[in-house]
Amino acid sequence: MQKEQVIIVGAGPSGLAMAACLNHHSIPYIILEREDCIASLWKKYAYDRLHLHLDKQFCVLPHMPFPDSYPRFVSRQQFVSYLDDYVSRFKISPLYRRTVESAEFDGETGKWIVKARNLGSGEVEELEGRFLVVASGETSNPFTPVIEGLNTFPGDVLHSTRFRNGKAFQNQKVLVVGSGNSGMEIAFDLANHGAQTSLVVRSPVHILSRDMIYLGLILVKYVRVSLVDSLMVMLSKLVYGDLSKYGINRPKEGPFFMKAVYGKYPIIDIGTCKKIKSQEIQVLPSICSIRGNEVVFENGTTHPFDTIVFCTGFKRSTNVWLKGDDYLLNDDGISKLSFPNHWKGKNGLYCVGLSRRGLYGAASDALNIADDINSLQ
């Protein structure tokens, strides 16, 4: 059995931030990663045009700034390069291709016992640590909803994690399901490459520009959320107008309130709205069923498609392998606890980056957890 002070599960940005913060305190740790590289979502499963949606000052990891040469909105390639440099600087060496099968606190020894399968050898390895940090990410397992007749669709069906760019879809009729930031941006990319693009928007969404978001993030530090939200909605109306005639409605609750309470991000527009208004992108309601290449929508219309891209998010599997925790994480692997104490569980259990607060929240979690563990030494 391998023994370490801290066991970290996940080598995405959250796990790397945690490792660097522990390194800063000279606290020994081991980091387990199921993929064969760090930050696999960014390296292997993200579309080409992806940029960090927030200004770089809100996305930096602890103890290492972005290079001065980086633009305000960091590209996927630049962020991957930054993470590689981060790993080198803090000498982070994950154990790759380790899938955690169970993690359970042993009350007699006061230690966490973690069993992980080595996907190379097939063997189950056992590790012991005083502290366990869940850093497996909010975007760990791609989710595709169950839709009646999906199995009859003859075209390509892919999750956003398999989409790279729109080049291969020129002149195709493509349906994008999901109107989060990924769905909006993939629809934009498809339209740019000549695809006949449709976008399913099932629920009301706030649409803001990058500069609106930046202003809101600054103001929310000094002004109550309700006032910031009022300003954001007013600016959105001025810039984008009434989008309801295009099939997009605005929620009754404000964007920063919804982010804080429900973890629901506003849409950060990078040009999709202009294409919706010009009818280069068609907005459609929820899907009822699929019959061959025909998709039936809740408003009774039917449209044929060649390809369906599901931008329907992710699920977490933490509840499958984390045993005995009924305090920190809910069944979907997100912290149950309220900010700012959402990162600390019981018996030396912590979570980083599981509170729907993005990279900024993950960096803050890692700093807090490392300081807490250091205080217990």
Side-chain angles (χ1 to χ4, degrees):
M1 181 186 292
Q2 188 168 344
K3 298 182 180 182
E4 292 290 349
Q5 188 73 340
V6 184
I7 300 170
I8 305 170
V9 179
S14 295
L16 300 180
M18 189 69 256
C21 290
L22 292 172
N23 180 294
H24 188 70
H25 287 290
S26 300
I27 298 172
Y29 67 87
I30 195 165
I31 182 166
L32 305 174
E33 169 56 49
R34 69 181 181 181
E35 295 280 349
D36 59 1
C37 63
I38 63 159
S40 60
L41 183 70
W42 289 89
K43 288 193 171 188
K44 298 165 63 175
Y45 305 117
Y47 48 93
D48 294 342
R49 66 164 293 115
L50 177 63
H51 286 64
L52 295 178
H53 290 113
L54 302 183
D55 192 290
K56 64 181 180 181
Q57 76 182 75
F58 300 110
C59 300
V60 68
L61 299 187
H63 307 302
M64 186 174 132
F66 285 116
D68 292 338
S69 60
Y70 275 25
R72 281 182 65 194
F73 299 100
V74 176
S75 72
R76 171 196 173 207
Q77 293 81 3
Q78 289 169 325
F79 190 57
V80 166
S81 178
Y82 168 78
L83 293 177
D84 284 336
D85 291 343
Y86 197 82
V87 166
S88 297
R89 177 168 177 175
F90 296 106
K91 299 179 175 59
I92 302 170
S93 299
L95 293 181
Y96 293 116
R97 304 193 70 207
R98 284 357 188 246
T99 299
V100 174
E101 296 192 345
S102 70
E104 190 166 8
F105 183 72
D106 185 335
E108 291 186 8
T109 63
K111 301 289 180 68
W112 284 90
I113 308 300
V114 176
K115 294 180 180 179
R117 186 170 297 278
N118 183 325
L119 297 180
S121 67
E123 296 179 358
V124 174
E125 301 167 346
E126 193 167 297
L127 304 94
E128 179 184 278
R130 183 179 172 194
F131 304 100
L132 175 65
V133 181
V134 179
S136 44
E138 295 177 355
T139 53
S140 52
N141 300 319
F143 171 72
T144 299
V146 175
I147 298 175
E148 180 186 342
L150 179 59
N151 61 334
T152 70
F153 185 75
D156 291 331
V157 177
L158 60 153
H159 190 269
S160 60
T161 51
R162 291 175 51 212
F163 180 90
R164 293 296 167 265
N165 58 64
K167 291 178 184 176
F169 303 95
Q170 185 176 11
N171 298 321
Q172 285 193 27
K173 294 179 180 178
V174 183
L175 178 64
V176 178
V177 182
S179 56
N181 279 298
S182 293
M184 287 284 191
E185 197 159 350
I186 285 173
F188 177 78
D189 193 61
L190 284 163
N192 276 346
H193 284 93
Q196 299 176 49
T197 308
S198 297
L199 174 68
V200 170
V201 179
R202 294 175 294 172
S203 56
V205 293
H206 284 288
I207 299 180
L208 306 175
S209 70
R210 285 169 164 174
D211 287 332
M212 290 178 203
I213 287 286
Y214 178 80
L215 175 63
L217 287 171
I218 298 299
L219 288 177
V220 81
K221 296 179 181 178
Y222 308 103
V223 181
R224 69 177 185 267
V225 169
S226 60
L227 292 177
V228 176
D229 276 343
S230 295
L231 176 61
M232 293 298 105
V233 170
M234 181 187 72
L235 291 173
S236 181
K237 288 178 178 178
L238 285 172
V239 172
Y240 300 110
D242 180 11
L243 295 173
S244 62
K245 57 187 173 184
Y246 301 101
I248 299 176
N249 295 302
R250 185 177 288 110
K252 294 180 180 179
E253 296 167 314
F256 280 83
F257 174 85
M258 292 181 69
K259 175 65 180 67
V261 175
Y262 309 122
K264 187 174 177 62
Y265 290 85
I267 302 305
I268 303 174
D269 181 55
I270 44 82
T272 309
C273 279
K274 185 176 181 181
K275 289 192 178 293
I276 289 171
K277 289 181 176 180
S278 68
Q279 298 184 328
E280 291 176 75
I281 297 173
Q282 176 184 211
V283 174
L284 294 169
S286 296
I287 297 172
C288 284
S289 63
I290 297 174
R291 301 169 187 166
N293 72 332
E294 298 279 341
V295 179
V296 183
F297 297 89
E298 68 173 11
N299 62 357
T301 61
T302 301
H303 300 276
F305 293 98
D306 302 304
T307 298
I308 302 175
V309 183
F310 283 98
C311 301
T312 42
F314 299 81
K315 295 291 185 181
R316 274 81 27 203
S317 58
T318 321
N319 63 316
V320 174
W321 56 262
L322 182 60
K323 311 298 182 183
D325 170 52
D326 58 0
Y327 177 76
L328 181 59
L329 300 176
N330 64 21
D331 289 342
D332 195 27
I334 300 297
S335 178
K336 294 180 183 179
L337 307 181
S338 300
F339 175 85
N341 300 311
H342 56 275
W343 46 269
K344 185 174 182 178
K346 297 178 178 179
N347 300 320
L349 177 65
Y350 300 91
C351 68
V352 56
L354 291 173
S355 61
R356 301 196 186 280
R357 297 176 62 238
L359 291 168
Y360 180 81
S364 176
D365 293 348
L367 288 164
N368 286 328
I369 293 168
D371 286 344
D372 195 63
I373 291 175
N374 189 54
S375 72
L376 298 172
Q377 298 298 302

